[in-house]
Amino acid sequence: MTDHPYGYIKDGKIYLKGFLGQEDRIIGEVKEDEASTIRYFEDRFETVKAKVEKLKQDIQENQNKGSFLMKLIHLKNALMHYDGLGDFPALIQELEEQEAYLEEIIQANREKNLEIKKALIEEANAIKNSTDWKEASEAFKELKLKWLKTGPVDKEIQDEIEGQFQAILDVFYSNRKNYFDGLALQAEQNIKVYESLLEQAREAHDLPDAKTAFEISKKIQKQWKASGRVPAAKRQPIWDEFSKLNNRIFSRYRRMSQNAPRLSPGLMIKKIEKLAEEMKLLSKGAVDDSKLAQAKRLQAEWKKLPPKKPRNAQQSIGAFVFFSEIVFEKSFLDKLCHSKYPGFDEKDPSEQVVIKSGLLKDLIARDQRELNTVRENTDNFRTQEDDFDHMMRRKIAAHKRKVDVKNHILKELTNN
């Protein structure tokens, strides 16, 4: 029997001595002579040793060290069954040291990845219910890209973290889909509303009583402004006829009003100032059912005034409209609080202020978005018709007043 530090030859076969709990095993046969056979298997060991050195060098020279872990593990496992003569335990120990080094780096990276992904989840969660679809969609696109570029976390929590992020994405994209699906359906319903308003304008135009026709005209024009969006190509023909009919109704009513007995400008200004001052008083503080009834009575008196009012009364006219809206907005806000927060009256006054302020801020943000949309639509849609431009200017002013009214109430709340 020929002996070797790491093996031996017996009965024409070459053995590798057992290591790390393995038994001695045959790795080959003597072909020509024992010396050349031993050199052959020593050379095989040197070849695999060079692979280990090359792998260690690659790990040190590359930035993404963790990517070599599986290659290292496969090589280490292969050494346990590799046919060669040499110090396999030493090679395996070197690889185990490298493995521990890589696992430490990978663990640190996974902890860092977890921090990054938790931050991305927080960012996504903060905007998942956003209705600013364009801006939010861009934000989610960036978040998904950052998520994909971020490496893995520990396998034990990988599914949980991925699930959290995906659930947030599902909420946003489901909301967005429902919104745009709803827009398409709503547009079909809205066009029917515009067609109905046009039919009412035709009927009002044919009424013999100019005042009744004018009251209907005011009501349906207000409904038109409040109606939802439809494609411009479908709405424009309806609007062209609708506006012409209402202009004729107004012209007939104005001619009738000019021929009717009128208050002197001085008396009318005093009446307007009186109504504006009374409405201003009603607007202060909380609004109950009694105040609401008084406000409606003042509005009824206001409607009895001639449509054409003195230019010197413009400030009082604006004040009456502004404070009227404050009264009705306060009433609406109070109902909203009671609807959303059962037992609202039993809450501490300071808590009631916090709740009202929060709801107001949400409403202000919504109204501001609507105002911005109306302004953009006005800029994007130009027409040669003065009536349309006049209506859009009034629409912008009305939206701006809605924002101003809520800001006034918010300031009153926070200053008390």
Side-chain angles (χ1 to χ4, degrees), residues 117 121 147-148 150-153 157-169:
K117 288 192 171 182
I121 287 172
W147 186 275
L148 291 173
T150 304
V153 299
I157 59 172
Q158 176 78 16
D159 290 343
E160 179 186 349
I161 291 295
E162 293 289 340
Q164 288 178 12
F165 188 67
Q166 188 59 48
I168 294 171
L169 294 180

Side-chain angles (χ1 to χ4, degrees), residues 58-68 101 105 109:
D58 289 344
I59 291 171
Q60 292 305 314
E61 293 177 353
N62 281 272
Q63 187 174 357
N64 187 13
K65 301 181 188 300
S67 63
F68 292 95
Y101 169 64
I105 292 174
N109 287 340

Side-chain angles (χ1 to χ4, degrees), residues 316-346:
S316 296
I317 293 169
F320 180 84
V321 174
F322 183 75
F323 291 116
S324 295
E325 292 191 5
I326 287 177
V327 171
F328 289 97
E329 188 64 39
K330 283 185 174 181
S331 175
F332 168 76
L333 180 61
D334 193 57
K335 291 176 182 177
L336 188 60
C337 288
H338 285 82
S339 171
K340 283 183 169 286
Y341 298 91
F344 179 77
D345 290 332
E346 285 72 40

